[in-house]
Amino acid sequence: MTQRTRQGAVAFAAVLLTAATGCAGTPAGPPARPDPASTGPSGVGGAASARTGFTLVASGDVLPHDSIIARAAADAKGRGYDFRPMFSGVKGVVSGADLAICHMETVYGPEGGPYTGYPAFKSPPEIAPALKETGYDSCSTASNHTLDDGAAGLARTLDALDRAGVRHAGSARTAEEAARPTLLRAGDATVAQLAYTYDTNGRPLPAGKPWSVNLIDERKIVADARAAREAGADVVVVSIHWGTEWQAAPDERQLTLGRSLTASKTAGRPDIDLILGTHAHVPQAYEKVNGTWIVYGLGDQIAGDMVNHEGAFDPRGNQGTLARFTFTPPAAAGARWDVAKAEFLPQWFDTGRGRVVDLNAAIRKGEPLTAVRDTIRDVVLGRGAAKDGLAMGE
């Protein structure tokens, strides 16, 4: 696995706007914009053939229930909260990518607390440096919990991510921030991350701040993708909080919106190059639609023992995948960066130990987790992605 070749990232949040279920669990100065001469769209700043590709890794919901907060306190041994050990099992995969994207589902409480889990989350801000140390470059922050503590919680969260050096997309503190796409550097590519959520659990957008959280609106997503391309993005990634909780199959809205977004083109080139879904709390399928990969649902990366809508513990709520896509430069100016390799890596959060587990690595060590891994694999491949080249990675 090659070491990360991160060059600086420019990150700002994107904008948008449309429509809540909770996430139940057991209680328990900005960097400069990349130089367009070297980072602009394909064909700018040198021959496309001279450019190098990159690997992108993405993971699902980071959802700190009360039990997760208690585990971080125990791991800190009386010195606040330490979330780094929870991620240690996947740090090698995450840090080994050129660009790594997470989904920060909750907002952060004030320094010193109080901190709360479900239903209105206020998480310790110590999560942010743990994400950075694990290797994450950017996180989507648009979810149904983005306004759990109003505009103040939203701002605290983005402030903490900024301090940790983790970029973000999907929510914003100012109109100016909301109007600019999050641009990141990976290999020789400039990657835009845009992020949206279906709703904010019925909480209204802060007065006078309609841009504070990006809500799903198909026309706006396409317009933002095109604006990101104009701003210099070679690759446009859309992180989207959607779907039906506890449903492994993508729902009709996911399928319809996915088809529409992947069909959108400008001058023959797709406007969106990858869609990364979160929210369902269970792994969902990967599928190549109109030539573009969609991950309908990455599942949860970190969460407490999950309770479904019937009030029963559901082990699927602690299952998920890491998506890994290898992008290659276009052969001709103006063409898209293609995905040369598409992989998924099954993962599981062991609530007993409070650790994310790379299932393939654990099985190689003799842990009896084959059935969990195979359950995830069957869901991920359930819409025929293997025929388009999706494989289980190591």
Side-chain angles (χ1 to χ4, degrees), residues 231-289:
D234 297 297
V235 173
V236 176
V237 177
V238 172
S239 298
I240 190 162
H241 204 65
W242 62 355
T244 302
E245 288 185 335
W246 301 108
Q247 182 172 302
D251 63 26
E252 189 55 41
R253 189 180 188 201
Q254 288 174 284
L255 295 173
T256 300
L257 183 57
R259 285 192 296 267
S260 295
L261 292 177
T262 55
S264 178
K265 296 182 179 182
T266 299
R269 180 183 182 182
D271 293 316
I272 293 165
D273 298 293
L274 177 65
I275 296 175
L276 302 170
T278 56
H279 174 62
H281 301 306
V282 295
Q284 293 184 320
Y286 291 37
E287 186 176 20
K288 199 171 189 179
V289 181

Side-chain angles (χ1 to χ4, degrees), residues 54-123:
F54 66 94
T55 56
L56 180 150
V57 161
S59 56
D61 307 44
V62 175
L63 188 59
H65 292 101
D66 289 332
S67 60
I68 299 299
I69 296 170
R71 168 62 65 178
D75 283 337
K77 298 179 171 58
R79 297 187 176 186
Y81 300 87
D82 188 357
F83 291 87
R84 295 172 299 174
M86 291 188 193
F87 292 98
S88 59
V90 293
K91 181 176 180 179
V93 175
V94 173
S95 63
D98 296 303
L99 178 62
I101 291 174
C102 74
H103 174 61
M104 188 66 243
E105 172 132 10
T106 64
V107 293
Y108 301 156
E111 292 286 346
Y115 303 123
T116 56
Y118 179 81
F121 290 87
K122 285 192 288 185
S123 305

Side-chain angles (χ1 to χ4, degrees), residues 299-390:
D300 290 341
Q301 182 169 57
I302 285 182
D305 289 324
M306 293 293 285
V307 176
N308 62 27
H309 293 316
E310 282 70 50
F313 166 67
D314 194 326
R316 298 177 303 156
N318 297 114
Q319 299 172 6
T321 62
L322 285 165
R324 185 165 62 200
F325 296 95
T326 301
F327 284 84
T328 57
R336 80 184 307 188
W337 287 59
D338 284 320
V339 173
K341 190 175 185 180
E343 302 170 277
F344 70 97
L345 292 82
Q347 60 178 346
W348 169 64
F349 189 76
D350 182 345
T351 57
R353 290 182 290 177
R355 300 291 183 265
V356 181
V357 176
D358 177 333
L359 286 169
N360 284 330
I363 291 167
R364 286 195 298 271
K365 293 176 182 177
E367 293 192 43
L369 295 168
T370 302
V372 178
R373 181 199 63 189
D374 291 352
T375 296
I376 296 170
R377 179 197 62 199
D378 291 348
V379 170
V380 167
L381 298 176
R383 292 185 64 85
K387 73 180 187 308
D388 287 316
L390 182 68

